[in-house]
C-alpha cells in the first residue's frame, strides 16, 4: 500500500465529527477489497465504527485502532517533498493508513491483527463507548494518536468544569442597585488560575485552560448571568482537586463537573523511544479491548492547526514500528 497516496484519499473526504459516514464507507470498501471480514458498528444516525478482521480469525490477540473524525475546518490534502498536509493528515488519517499497511505486512508474515476505526473521538468518544459494548476478545489494543512514533508511557486525563455565576440586573449608571455576575466570575477565575495544581513525577504538572466565557446582556446593563468553561489536564486522581476547586470558588459561582476522562499509564516496549502524551484519547473508553498502548506518526503540536501535516518518512517508519510492537506483544507471556 502507498501510505502517502492512501492518506491523501482519506484526508480529501471531509469527516468533521458528526459527518464520518463517507469516510467510513470508503474504509469499508477498501478493507473488503483487501479480503477482510468487515463489519459496520452502528453508533448514531448514519454514523458507524468500522471493524475488520481476517477471515477465520475473528478473535485476534492484537487490534489496531484510531479515529475517523477530525476537528473543523476541512482542509484538503497537499504535499511537498517531505510532508503531507491537510486536516487529519496526522490526526488521525495518516495513522489509519499505516495501521492498514502494517496489518497487511503482518498478514503476509502469517500474523493476523484486527482493525477498529471509530467515530467521535474529537468530541465525546461515543464511537469508542459503543465499541466497548462489543469486544472481540483481544489481549492488546494499539491505539494511534500523533506521538512521533514514540511509545507513550502515559496520557493525561481531562476534567471539564462549568462555572455559573448569578447576579442582579440594574442600570449601569447605578451599579450599586445591581449585582454583577461577571465581576463574580472574574474573581472566581482569578482565584482558580492562582491555585497550585498537582504534579506527578515523570509526568509533569496538571494544567488548566479557561476555554469559554459568556455572560451579560448589554454594555449598559449590570449582568445577572455569566458562565465559564474550564479544562484541566489531569496527572492523577481528582478527588482532592475537585474539592479544592469548589472551596476556591466558594459562593461566587456554582461549580459543575460535567466530564472526566482519567489519567492513564501504559507499558513501554523494549528498544523503542518513549514520551508522555499531554492529551486524552479513546483508550479510557475501550477497556474491554485489551491492554492499551499508544503510538503513531506525526506531531500533536501541529494537529488541530491550519498547517497540520505529517512527515512522509514518519508514515513509512510507523508501519515498521507497529509490526515490531505487535511481534513483541505476541511474544510476551
Amino acid at each position: 500500500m502507498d501510505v502517502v497516496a492512501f492518506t491523501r484519499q482519506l484526508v480529501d473526504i471531509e469527516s468533521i465529527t458528526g459527518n464520518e459516514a463517507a469516510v467510513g464507507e470508503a474504509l469499508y470498501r477498501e478493507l473488503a477489497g483487501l479480503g477482510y471480514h468487515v463489519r459496520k458498528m452502528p453508533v448514531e444516525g448514519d454514523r458507524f465504527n468500522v471493524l475488520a478482521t481476517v477471515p477465520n480469525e475473528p478473535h485476534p490477540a492484537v487490534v489496531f485502532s484510531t479515529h475517523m473524525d477530525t476537528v473543523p475546518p476541512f482542509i484538503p490534502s497537499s504535499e511537498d517533498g517531505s510532508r503531507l498536509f491537510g486536516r487529519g493528515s496526522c490526526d488521525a488519517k495518516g495513522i489509519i493508513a499505516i495501521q492498514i499497511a502494517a496489518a497487511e505486512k503482518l498478514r503476509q508474515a502469517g500474523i493476523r491483527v484486527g482493525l477498529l476505526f471509530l467515530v467521535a473521538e474529537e468530541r465525546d468518544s461515543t464511537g469508542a463507548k459503543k465499541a466497548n459494548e462489543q469486544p472481540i476478545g483481544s489481549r492488546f489494543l494499539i491505539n494511534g494518536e500523533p506521538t512521533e512514533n514514540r511509545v507513550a508511557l502515559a496520557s493525561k486525563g481531562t476534567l471539564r468544569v462549568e462555572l455559573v455565576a448569578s447576579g442582579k440586573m440594574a442600570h449601569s449608571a447605578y451599579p450599586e442597585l445591581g449585582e454583577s455576575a461577571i465581576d463574580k466570575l472574574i474573581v472566581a477565575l482569578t482565584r482558580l488560575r492562582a491555585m497550585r495544581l498537582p504534579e506527578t513525577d515523570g509526568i509533569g504538572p496538571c494544567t488548566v485552560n479557561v476555554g469559554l466565557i459568556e455572560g451579560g446582556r448589554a454594555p449598559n446593563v449590570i449582568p445577572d448571568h455569566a458562565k465559564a468553561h474550564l479544562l484541566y489536564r489531569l496527572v492523577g486522581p481528582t478527588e482532592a482537586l475537585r474539592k479544592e476547586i469548589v472551596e476556591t470558588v466558594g459562593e461566587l459561582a456554582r461549580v459543575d463537573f460535567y466530564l472526566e476522562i482519567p489519567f492513564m499509564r501504559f507499558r513501554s516496549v523494549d528498544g523503542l523511544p518513549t514520551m508522555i502524551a499531554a492529551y486524552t484519547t479513546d483508550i479510557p473508553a475501550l477497556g474491554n479491548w485489551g491492554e492499551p498502548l499508544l503510538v503513531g506518526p506525526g506531531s500533536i503540536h501541529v494537529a488541530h492547526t491550519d498547517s497540520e501535516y505529517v512527515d512522509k518518512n514518519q508514515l513509512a517508519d510507523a508501519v515498521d514500528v507497529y509490526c515490531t510492537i505487535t511481534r513483541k506483544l505476541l511474544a510476551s507471556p
Side-chain angles (χ1 to χ4, degrees):
M1 174 181 286
D2 183 334
V3 292
V4 171
F6 188 52
T7 299
R8 288 199 64 172
Q9 290 178 36
L10 295 175
V11 168
D12 287 335
I13 302 172
E14 187 266 296
S15 61
I16 293 167
T17 308
N19 195 32
E20 300 99 331
V23 74
E25 293 288 356
L27 286 169
Y28 182 93
R29 292 191 299 270
E30 178 72 22
L31 292 164
L34 291 171
Y36 286 86
H37 174 70
V38 192
R39 178 158 64 96
K40 297 177 182 179
M41 289 183 173
V43 176
E44 183 181 69
D46 64 352
R47 304 161 68 204
F48 55 89
N49 300 324
V50 176
L51 172 64
T53 54
V54 176
N56 301 319
E57 187 62 64
H59 307 292
V62 177
V63 171
F64 301 161
S65 180
T66 191
H67 59 95
M68 299 181 284
D69 63 318
T70 69
V71 297
F74 170 68
I75 303 172
S77 71
S78 61
E79 63 180 293
D80 60 20
S82 61
R83 293 174 174 177
L84 190 164
F85 299 88
R87 179 61 76 229
S89 53
C90 76
D91 189 18
K93 291 179 176 179
I95 297 173
I96 292 175
I98 67 93
Q99 288 183 341
I100 295 173
E104 283 293 279
K105 188 173 182 179
L106 288 165
R107 183 159 65 151
Q108 291 170 9
I111 300 171
R112 299 172 177 86
V113 302
L115 295 161
L116 177 65
F117 302 128
L118 303 163
V119 303
E121 189 273 345
E122 296 289 5
R123 184 171 298 167
D124 55 13
S125 291
T126 300
K129 293 170 185 174
K130 288 288 187 181
N132 207 43
E133 299 171 0
Q134 305 172 61
I136 60 173
S138 47
R139 291 175 55 207
F140 301 101
L141 179 83
I142 306 179
N143 187 251
E145 291 286 350
T147 69
E148 299 179 81
N149 286 338
R150 296 176 290 166
V151 177
L153 298 179
S155 67
K156 289 186 178 182
T158 291
L159 180 66
R160 292 181 185 250
V161 185
E162 180 185 73
L163 302 185
V164 179
S166 298
K168 179 183 177 183
M169 284 191 292
H171 195 292
S172 64
Y174 301 91
E176 68 276 8
L177 300 179
E179 186 179 24
S180 172
I182 288 178
D183 285 351
K184 290 181 180 180
L185 187 66
I186 289 171
V187 174
L189 291 173
T190 300
R191 290 180 182 178
L192 289 175
R193 294 180 69 245
M195 262 178 54
R196 183 180 178 87
L197 297 176
E199 296 190 26
T200 299
D201 289 344
I203 304 299
C206 172
T207 60
V208 62
N209 178 56
V210 182
L212 292 170
I213 295 178
E214 57 184 273
R217 297 180 181 274
N220 58 344
V221 178
I222 302 298
D224 63 328
H225 180 81
K227 182 188 298 185
H229 292 265
L230 295 78
L231 190 149
Y232 289 82
R233 297 288 180 178
L234 305 173
V235 296
T238 61
E239 183 178 356
L241 176 63
R242 285 170 177 255
K243 181 180 179 182
E244 188 173 0
I245 290 170
V246 171
E247 291 176 347
T248 299
V249 172
E251 300 298 320
L252 292 166
R254 186 181 79 244
V255 181
D256 293 323
F257 301 100
Y258 65 95
L259 176 67
E260 179 174 343
I261 301 172
F263 164 74
M264 302 281 293
R265 290 186 184 272
F266 312 118
R267 71 155 64 190
S268 60
V269 178
D270 290 344
L272 294 179
T274 61
M275 57 88 74
I276 303 298
Y279 49 85
T280 56
T281 72
D282 273 332
I283 287 176
L286 292 167
N288 292 332
W289 284 75
E291 181 182 350
L293 293 88
L294 178 64
V295 63
S299 170
I300 197 68
H301 296 156
V302 298
H304 299 192
T305 70
D306 291 341
S307 57
E308 181 177 347
Y309 71 87
V310 65
D311 185 275
K312 294 179 184 179
N313 288 332
Q314 275 196 23
L315 282 178
D317 291 345
V319 175
D320 292 329
V321 169
Y322 266 72
C323 291
T324 297
I325 293 174
T326 300
R327 289 188 172 96
K328 287 179 179 288
L329 291 175
L330 293 176
S332 65

